[in-house]
Amino acid sequence: MMEKIIEILQEIRPEFDFSEGLDFIENGMLDSLDVINLVVALDDHYGISIDGMDIVPENFSTVESIIALLVKNGVKQ
């Protein structure tokens, strides 16, 4: 799952290395439009619908936080 998330992130912002575990939002690697594109890509790939209430920066700040969000939405690890 981690590899797929990094792949999706790289498609959205290829100029950054998302495998480093930095805070993507705080470090300017993802902006609000990138987060929306990420939500759409995750919804499509995993066949889920991430609730609007879950679209907050802390859920998209690291690969681990994205995995936790996916698990919360029923994706098996």
Side-chain angles (χ1 to χ4, degrees):
M1 180 184 297
M2 181 177 287
E3 294 80 18
K4 184 59 184 178
I5 292 170
I6 291 172
E7 180 183 319
I8 291 170
L9 288 164
Q10 290 294 151
E11 289 174 10
I12 294 170
R13 294 296 295 266
E15 66 271 24
F16 295 114
D17 181 2
F18 290 97
S19 63
E20 293 182 6
L22 303 169
D23 186 321
F24 306 145
I25 306 293
E26 187 175 297
N27 288 302
M29 297 166 75
L30 294 176
D31 61 24
S32 57
L33 182 58
D34 297 327
V35 170
I36 298 304
N37 288 331
L38 178 57
V39 167
V40 170
L42 294 171
D43 284 356
D44 289 347
H45 180 76
Y46 290 102
I48 59 171
S49 181
I50 296 173
D51 187 271
M53 297 297 289
D54 287 330
I55 303 175
V56 293
E58 51 270 12
N59 286 338
F60 300 94
S61 60
T62 63
V63 172
E64 291 77 16
S65 64
I66 296 169
I67 290 172
L69 177 64
L70 293 174
V71 169
K72 177 183 175 187
N73 281 275
V75 176
K76 304 278 190 241
Q77 280 195 359

